[in-house]
Amino acid sequence: MMRRLRATSKVVKYGDMESDLSFSQTMSSDEDSEEWRPTELKSKGPSKIVSTPAAGDRKATAKRTSKPKQPKALKTPKAPKVPKDPKSRVLLKHDAERKKKALSARKDSGESWLAGTKRERDGRKDDKAGEHKEEKETDCPKGGRAEESGPSIRMKEERVSFIVSEAHEADRWADEGSSLAGLRPKKEEIEEEDFMFEEPYLKKQKTSGTCQGQPTALPPSEAQALRNELNMTWDLTELLSTLTCVEMWVCVNIIVLLREENTVPFMVRYRKEMINHMDADAVRDVQLTYEELCNLAKKTQSVIQTLKKDGVLTVELEQNLRSCRSADELDHVYSPYKKGSKLTKARRAKALGLEVAASALLDTPHTLDLMAWVKPDTKGLSSFEEVATGVEHILADMIAKDPETLTYVKSLCENSFLTIRSSVSKSVLKEKEHEKTVQSQRKQGAQQNKHMDKDKFHLYFDFTCNIQRIQPHQTLAINRGESLKILTVKVNICDRVKSDFIRWCINNRWRPKTFPREELNVIIRNAVEDSYKRLILPFLTRSYRTKLTFAAEKESIAMFVRNLRQRLLMCPVRGCIIMGVDPGFRHGCKLAILSPTSQILHTDVVYLHNSSQPKEAEKLRHLMIKYCCTRVVIGNGTACRETESFFTDLIFRRYFHPLEVSYCITNEAGASIYSVSPEAVKEMPDLDPNLRSAVSIGRRVQDPLAELVKIDPKHIGIGTYQHDVSAGALKAALDGVVQECVSFVGVDINICSETLMRHVAGLNVGRAQNIAKWREQNGPFINREQLKLVKGMGPKTYQQCAGFIRINPQTLHSAKSSPHPVAAVPEKPAAKKGKGKTCVNKPTSFNPLDQTCIHPESYHVAQRFMSLVGGSVDQIGNSGLQQCVESKVRTSSVEELAGTVDTTPETLKLIIDGLTQPPGFDIRQNFGHADFKRGIVSMSDLRVGTVLTGRVDNAALFGAFVDIGVGRSGLIHKSNITLDKLPVSQRNRSLALGPGERVEVRVLNVDPQRGRIGLDLIRVLE
């Protein structure tokens, strides 16, 4: 089994240069990956290397099993330093003996262990070893979401000292499955808000006491099912915990919840205690990693079956395949045996029968005579040199596939100075020389666009960076330049790695058992050098490039997700009539006047940019006064600035008097694509597609969430390097955050659109159609229980979606006035897949709890709590009930009240929120909304040092783009976004600035020719 790379740190000096290198699986340093870390925490002294036995150690596949030298302190574990009372020692001894007996019994029966039992040890580790284990589990790679500074800083501070709880000492030594059951940090933990949208913190890790009484292993049935499905040598929960840096008991719970078909929003809101209060992004990260490991196991099984059919599968090869922990490792082991690949040098030598000679060279070199293998008439065996070359190829192949050897060479690279370098490709240089000889004007025009594309990568024409410190956007840019054949990329590994590796192989790992002759020593040395140059070095290069790309793609997708969440959760502008304007020159500006409920009142086209401006202005004034419209929303596409200037002039002249008109600019990305989509045709069948765009632009301000869910998230205009990341991973992540936002905001089931409904957790297109059809046939839903009458709404679906669906009494009352009958039982023929639904009696009265975020499974708890505080469900949202609840919570803690009503504190907090929130509460009211203005500023008016206010339009890996109202967004580089400029509530966030946030900025530089504005952040406006 491959050993996991350890996160170590060492000061390496090259001449006058001293660099603090810390390498992790995704090659990200603390200084660069944690952008929002305080300055004083960045500059740390060099730390000592802490070496702990790797989790995945296994026996070497070759016969000779020499191992690399390790520190003496690690050979013999010290006795525990923590004093224990005699009873604890006796319990510990008996418990350890019982564990050993159980372990040996299971090994004799050939059982494969899951969930912590596979790696049980005798339970005799000292505090220092426990601290080392803590470091191993918390020093997670960037790919494991350790890039955010807040939790990382907290974790490193908490690792300094721990107090061992005597009450749980025996449990900790006897069963270390949960890793921190008896460890409690001295420092107080920061109280975090129970809210998951305001750019949540990183997943809570290693919190004290959280795993008390929590399961540290899968249930037997689930464990057996996973054993049968995976059939790998590694432990799923242990590996999942290592890769995601989440406690093992949390991983166990998430696996169980996922296998029970629970959705991420449901887990985050209603199963907080099981997932340790992790946010949706963190749970989704664990889910994706779990799915990747399951897919890896399936692919491994498929490869094994293929090799078995081909007759090349050996016990050693199967063991190597089942030990792979990533698709890259699996491909490295499997690639020589692929049918499409050419026969490797080692396989050709094995076909000649030289494998026996290679084995003899390692085991009994004193008896080996290579001249006996010479066959003059056989190609490849005709001379001593050919035989020696064949043996070298076999040895080189064995060395390159040996897990212990690969682990050692990776450890050498881990502590060495590795760089990635990009330069101009030879094809581009040739093209430049060719362009100099071209004299034709037409040719010069044709080459202009290509030349501009090349200039975009001028920063990387001669670029070298430490592989641990390269930024994600730099990795994606280099990859794009390489795919366009503009750049050539190479990973440079220093020569010291090669020399140390060859010395170790010859003197330790691949040293023959007996003393060989000189010519055989030469063969071994040549085999080691050939293996490193021809096989191991390309593998390392591919591995590092893959890890860098994976980490960069993951960060880019995370940026997409955070931007999309900010965009979807923009506060809606309600209670006013809005005019949506899709600007244009030749085809005019398309107008759509919308009611406060987003109904289309009027559509028209005006031509504001030709000679008929006075006539068109009169038409605008007539429409504005007729419909009492005071808000204008202009799309930011073609002719936006000219249209804005036109409206600004009319407003300045008080042309719309007595109305006080203002306008705002909104992002129209995706409006044109939506206007011709099937959803738009179904919603507005009689409207011209150009006018549909104006409707969409207006609705994006009235209710951003309800409108933007109709558009493919990739077309909303957020994030960077969209086309350089995995399309499947990006779509899954964006769909997940749309479902998350729609679910947590909640939908009024009686008025929401079918498109919005399908994004609720647990629902899909078919179920949303069935709900809409039931609503049309039977009238509005009176309570949540009636959802069970809908076709396709089973118990699991109802459980997942019920808490996110609202029954608003106001809309219910207005819907009852419609001619639709209100039926408690739907009129369906009982013979057609009714599953008994037509015979079930459902309540026909309105339940006030159905308008809250409280899940129906907790209604009985809510009733008990209401009786405890002396309130009634009819008082939900009233100030009187809120005062009763607050006074009760002040006199008794939430934990005590939770025990009284027989529930968990997390569930009770949710019930309290649902009971005290006012009717129609919307979590988006705390987020920013569109800025309406009455004047205009042009780019020519900007001066260096000017202080302006603006709103973040988009966030990228290298900074944030801010709309300051001049037609061009300015860039605040990430170096200018420092902790002291951010509010305290935002300093622990991975995305310091997100779309929609209002900021005060200072102009640093203006480049009118390139249309670029450099900004400095002054402060974030609340």
Side-chain angles (χ1 to χ4, degrees):
M1 183 181 292
M2 298 291 292
R3 289 189 291 182
R4 178 174 175 262
L5 291 176
R6 299 185 293 269
T8 61
S9 177
K10 180 179 180 180
V11 176
V12 182
K13 296 184 179 181
Y14 294 93
D16 296 333
M17 180 181 65
E18 183 180 27
S19 59
D20 187 8
L21 307 178
S22 72
F23 184 79
S24 66
Q25 282 185 327
T26 51
M27 293 146 293
S28 59
S29 67
D30 289 340
E31 289 130 290
D32 289 332
S33 64
E34 299 173 0
E35 296 173 2
W36 320 120
R37 179 172 298 184
T39 306
E40 61 271 19
L41 292 178
K42 284 186 180 180
S43 55
K44 292 183 179 180
S47 59
K48 297 182 180 179
I49 299 178
V50 179
S51 301
T52 57
D57 284 345
R58 67 178 183 87
K59 293 181 180 180
T61 56
K63 295 184 178 180
R64 181 66 176 173
T65 57
S66 297
K67 294 184 178 180
K69 295 181 180 179
Q70 295 190 6
K72 294 181 180 179
L74 298 178
K75 291 182 179 179
T76 304
K78 299 178 182 178
K81 296 180 181 178
V82 180
K84 307 185 184 74
D85 64 1
K87 292 183 179 180
S88 299
R89 291 177 179 270
V90 172
L91 288 174
L92 173 60
K93 184 175 181 181
H94 289 306
D95 228 13
E97 290 177 356
R98 178 177 55 82
K99 297 277 184 180
K100 284 185 177 181
K101 290 180 181 179
L103 181 60
S104 61
R106 286 182 179 255
K107 284 185 177 179
D108 292 341
S109 62
E111 238 180 84
S112 173
W113 284 69
L114 277 173
T117 57
K118 178 183 174 186
R119 295 185 59 213
E120 279 191 71
R121 290 180 279 270
D122 59 356
R124 293 182 176 88
K125 290 186 177 181
D126 55 0
D127 287 342
K128 188 174 181 180
E131 186 176 342
H132 290 174
K133 179 180 178 184
E134 173 67 11
E135 290 186 10
K136 176 182 175 182
E137 292 186 354
T138 55
D139 281 341
C140 54
K142 185 174 179 181
R145 299 184 55 81
E147 69 273 24
E148 302 180 19
S149 63
S152 298
I153 298 170
R154 189 165 63 252
M155 284 161 48
K156 291 184 179 181
E157 292 173 352
E158 290 174 358
R159 265 188 281 162
V160 175
S161 59
F162 288 93
I163 300 177
V164 180
S165 174
E166 293 182 359
H168 301 280
E169 187 64 23
D171 292 338
R172 185 171 78 89
W173 292 110
D175 186 6
E176 65 178 343
S178 176
S179 77
L180 279 185
L183 297 183
R184 175 166 52 87
K186 285 184 178 180
K187 67 188 288 291
E188 294 183 358
E189 296 222 6
I190 301 174
E191 188 69 24
E192 297 181 356
E193 297 180 0
D194 186 19
F195 188 59
M196 64 286 297
F197 288 110
E198 213 171 67
E199 275 318 312
Y201 303 159
L202 187 61
K203 57 176 92 67
K204 297 181 183 178
Q205 303 181 42
K206 313 302 176 193
T207 50
S208 62
T210 310
C211 53
Q212 304 278 338
Q214 296 291 346
T216 58
L218 286 172
S221 58
E222 294 288 339
Q224 184 62 39
L226 275 178
R227 277 196 292 267
N228 296 336
E229 290 178 12
L230 300 182
N231 196 15
M232 302 292 284
T233 60
W234 37 258
D235 179 81
L236 175 63
T237 54
E238 181 182 342
L239 182 58
L240 186 63
S241 175
T242 301
L243 294 177
T244 58
C245 296
V246 177
E247 298 97 322
M248 190 177 294
W249 70 270
V250 180
C251 291
V252 169
N253 288 338
I254 292 177
I255 291 174
V256 173
L257 290 171
L258 290 175
R259 292 178 69 84
E260 292 175 354
E261 299 181 357
N262 291 285
T263 60
V264 172
F266 178 81
M267 288 188 279
V268 171
R269 174 168 285 184
Y270 299 112
R271 296 293 184 266
K272 293 180 181 179
E273 68 280 358
M274 293 185 67
I275 63 173
N276 197 15
H277 296 260
M278 288 166 58
D279 61 78
D281 289 336
V283 176
R284 198 177 296 112
D285 181 38
V286 177
Q287 179 188 16
L288 292 176
T289 306
Y290 166 69
E291 292 173 354
E292 288 173 2
L293 293 176
C294 292
N295 292 334
L296 174 64
K298 292 179 181 178
K299 186 177 179 181
T300 302
Q301 190 63 30
S302 176
V303 168
I304 290 174
Q305 294 297 328
T306 302
L307 295 178
K308 187 179 294 183
K309 290 180 181 179
D310 295 341
V312 296
L313 183 66
T314 62
V315 176
E316 180 183 356
L317 178 58
E318 182 177 359
Q319 185 75 2
N320 289 341
L321 290 171
R322 295 194 187 279
S323 301
C324 294
R325 298 190 172 198
S326 66
D328 191 47
E329 292 181 14
L330 179 64
D331 185 67
H332 176 68
V333 177
Y334 175 53
S335 57
Y337 303 94
K338 291 181 179 178
K339 287 184 177 180
S341 61
K342 61 182 180 180
L343 204 61
T344 61
K345 294 180 179 181
R347 292 184 66 184
R348 286 199 293 267
K350 288 179 181 180
L352 295 173
L354 293 177
E355 189 172 8
V356 178
S359 300
L361 178 58
L362 295 175
D363 298 332
T364 57
H366 60 284
T367 63
L368 179 62
D369 183 12
L370 291 182
M371 288 300 299
W373 295 85
V374 176
K375 297 180 181 179
D377 298 332
T378 303
K379 185 178 179 181
L381 300 176
S382 59
S383 65
F384 177 85
E385 288 75 15
E386 289 186 356
V387 173
T389 302
V391 173
E392 289 174 6
H393 291 160
I394 294 175
L395 289 177
D397 184 69
M398 293 171 61
I399 293 170
K401 291 178 181 176
D402 178 51
E404 185 177 344
T405 303
L406 292 178
T407 301
Y408 180 78
V409 73
K410 287 180 180 178
S411 66
L412 289 177
C413 294
E414 179 182 334
N415 300 311
S416 301
F417 190 79
L418 277 66
T419 60
I420 183 170
R421 185 176 187 276
S422 65
S423 56
V424 185
S425 64
K426 294 181 180 179
S427 59
V428 173
L429 294 176
K430 290 180 180 179
E431 287 181 10
K432 287 184 177 181
E433 294 177 0
H434 179 67
E435 288 174 9
K436 293 178 181 179
T437 62
V438 175
Q439 301 295 331
S440 171
Q441 183 67 29
R442 183 179 178 182
K443 283 285 185 180
Q444 291 177 1
Q447 296 292 333
Q448 187 175 1
N449 292 334
K450 291 184 179 181
H451 184 67
M452 291 177 63
D453 290 338
K454 297 169 189 174
D455 288 343
K456 293 179 181 178
F457 299 95
H458 72 278
L459 293 175
Y460 304 100
F461 282 174
D462 188 13
F463 175 82
T464 303
C465 182
N466 188 340
I467 208 169
Q468 305 165 22
R469 289 174 169 79
I470 188 170
Q471 296 297 304
H473 67 275
Q474 294 173 333
T475 300
L476 294 176
I478 288 174
N479 290 349
R480 181 187 292 182
E482 186 181 31
S483 64
L484 296 175
K485 298 182 179 179
I486 298 176
L487 300 176
T488 300
V489 186
K490 182 181 179 182
V491 175
N492 295 322
I493 300 177
C494 61
D495 294 336
R496 186 172 60 85
V497 172
K498 178 181 178 180
S499 59
D500 291 350
F501 172 76
I502 294 175
R503 187 183 307 111
W504 177 80
C505 286
I506 294 175
N507 297 332
N508 293 277
R509 181 69 182 91
W510 299 97
R511 181 180 179 180
K513 292 184 178 180
T514 60
F515 188 76
R517 298 186 301 275
E518 182 61 30
E519 63 270 15
L520 298 182
N521 275 331
V522 173
I523 292 177
I524 295 176
R525 171 174 286 276
N526 292 340
V528 173
E529 292 180 352
D530 177 56
S531 177
Y532 179 82
K533 180 179 179 181
R534 182 169 57 88
L535 301 174
I536 295 179
L537 192 59
F539 168 72
L540 292 174
T541 300
R542 289 194 307 269
S543 177
Y544 287 131
R545 291 291 305 278
T546 300
K547 289 176 181 178
L548 285 176
T549 301
F550 177 79
E553 287 186 357
K554 194 168 186 177
E555 183 63 22
S556 180
I557 291 174
M559 185 68 67
F560 267 96
V561 165
R562 295 189 287 261
N563 287 348
L564 179 61
R565 182 184 291 114
Q566 292 283 103
R567 186 68 58 83
L568 292 177
L569 294 178
M570 288 283 290
C571 183
V573 177
R574 303 187 186 277
C576 63
I577 297 175
I578 283 181
M579 173 185 287
V581 181
D582 184 8
F585 288 115
R586 183 177 178 183
H587 299 287
C589 298
K590 281 68 68 177
L591 309 178
I593 299 179
L594 307 175
S595 70
T597 58
S598 298
Q599 300 298 317
I600 302 174
L601 302 178
H602 181 78
T603 58
D604 210 333
V605 180
V606 293
Y607 298 87
L608 305 180
H609 310 299
N610 54 24
S611 57
S612 59
Q613 284 187 353
K615 181 180 177 181
E616 301 299 327
E618 183 63 30
K619 182 191 287 188
L620 279 176
R621 180 169 62 177
H622 172 72
L623 293 174
M624 301 284 281
I625 294 176
K626 179 182 177 180
Y627 294 101
C628 296
C629 179
T630 58
R631 298 287 186 271
V632 179
V633 180
I634 305 173
N636 65 344
T638 305
C640 169
R641 296 295 295 169
E642 291 76 9
T643 305
E644 180 187 13
S645 177
F646 183 85
F647 273 94
T648 301
D649 181 62
L650 296 181
I651 293 172
F652 180 75
R653 289 159 40 197
R654 299 183 60 82
Y655 191 75
F656 301 111
H657 186 76
L659 299 178
E660 293 293 333
V661 178
S662 58
Y663 71 92
C664 75
I665 308 294
T666 192
N667 193 323
E668 66 173 31
S672 300
I673 296 176
Y674 164 71
S675 64
V676 295
S677 65
E679 289 81 3
V681 174
K682 182 179 179 180
E683 185 180 4
M684 298 172 279
D686 301 327
L687 213 58
D688 183 82
N690 293 322
L691 296 174
R692 292 175 192 156
S693 298
V695 174
S696 177
I697 289 171
R699 287 177 174 173
R700 290 183 184 203
V701 173
Q702 283 188 318
D703 194 343
L705 180 61
E707 187 63 25
L708 291 177
V709 295
K710 304 174 185 177
I711 303 168
D712 191 333
K714 293 185 295 184
H715 300 145
I716 297 181
I718 53 175
T720 54
Y721 297 99
Q722 171 178 319
H723 303 288
D724 298 293
V725 300
S726 171
L730 178 62
K731 185 179 186 306
L734 296 184
D735 289 346
V737 77
V738 170
Q739 182 189 67
E740 170 196 336
C741 293
V742 173
S743 300
F744 288 133
V745 170
V747 297
D748 189 339
I749 194 65
N750 289 319
I751 62 172
C752 73
S753 66
E754 182 183 314
T755 305
L756 183 65
M757 202 187 309
R758 69 180 61 161
H759 293 287
V760 177
L763 300 183
N764 53 25
V765 177
R767 291 165 186 160
Q769 291 175 350
N770 292 338
I771 292 175
K773 189 182 298 183
W774 194 97
R775 190 172 59 188
E776 292 174 3
Q777 294 175 353
N778 302 280
F781 288 88
I782 300 177
N783 52 56
R784 286 171 171 169
E785 284 291 318
Q786 285 187 324
L787 287 169
K788 297 179 179 179
L789 302 173
V790 178
K791 179 182 177 182
M793 187 68 68
K796 176 56 68 173
T797 302
Y798 177 78
Q799 179 197 39
Q800 298 302 304
C801 71
F804 307 116
I805 287 176
R806 307 281 190 272
I807 308 292
N808 194 313
Q810 287 79 15
T811 57
L812 176 62
H813 178 72
S814 60
K816 278 186 176 181
S817 61
S818 63
H820 294 290
V822 178
V825 179
E827 299 176 2
K828 295 180 181 179
K832 292 189 177 181
K833 297 182 181 180
K835 296 183 181 179
K837 291 186 178 182
T838 55
C839 302
V840 179
N841 293 323
K842 301 296 178 186
T844 59
S845 59
F846 171 71
N847 187 344
L849 293 174
D850 288 342
Q851 61 181 316
T852 68
C853 61
I854 303 173
H855 198 279
E857 67 183 10
S858 302
Y859 279 1
H860 63 286
V861 179
Q863 295 285 0
R864 286 200 295 266
F865 181 73
M866 294 291 290
S867 302
L868 186 65
V869 301
S872 171
V873 292
D874 297 327
Q875 299 176 309
I876 290 178
N878 293 347
S879 58
L881 177 62
Q882 185 174 359
Q883 292 175 359
C884 292
V885 172
E886 290 177 353
S887 62
K888 192 68 178 178
V889 172
R890 279 196 298 269
T891 56
S892 302
S893 65
V894 175
E895 288 73 16
E896 294 176 359
L897 293 174
T900 303
V901 297
D902 191 20
T903 188
T904 62
E906 291 79 8
T907 302
L908 184 58
K909 290 177 183 178
L910 190 65
I911 291 174
I912 293 174
D913 290 340
L915 295 177
T916 56
Q917 288 169 351
F921 173 78
D922 193 336
I923 62 172
R924 295 175 293 175
Q925 66 189 22
N926 296 325
F927 291 80
H929 53 75
D931 286 330
F932 288 89
K933 52 187 178 180
R934 302 170 60 85
I936 185 173
V937 179
S938 64
M939 192 170 178
S940 59
D941 297 331
L942 294 180
R943 297 290 181 272
V944 175
T946 304
V947 177
L948 302 167
T949 60
R951 190 174 292 278
V952 178
D953 183 55
N954 195 7
L957 298 172
F958 46 82
F961 291 95
V962 180
D963 181 9
I964 54 177
V966 297
R968 285 277 186 175
S969 294
L971 173 65
I972 307 178
H973 193 266
K974 66 177 185 179
S975 60
N976 294 323
I977 306 175
T978 55
L979 278 176
D980 58 318
K981 301 176 183 178
L982 299 174
V984 177
S985 60
Q986 293 180 221
R987 295 183 181 180
N988 288 329
R989 294 179 2 179
S990 59
L991 181 68
L993 296 178
E997 295 192 77
R998 296 184 66 245
V999 293
E1000 187 176 20
V1001 296
R1002 179 184 293 105
V1003 179
L1004 294 179
N1005 54 74
V1006 181
D1007 188 350
Q1009 293 182 347
R1010 304 175 69 186
R1012 295 187 177 183
I1013 305 170
L1015 302 175
D1016 180 25
L1017 176 65
I1018 298 178
R1019 63 190 177 101
V1020 179
L1021 302 176
E1022 299 292 341

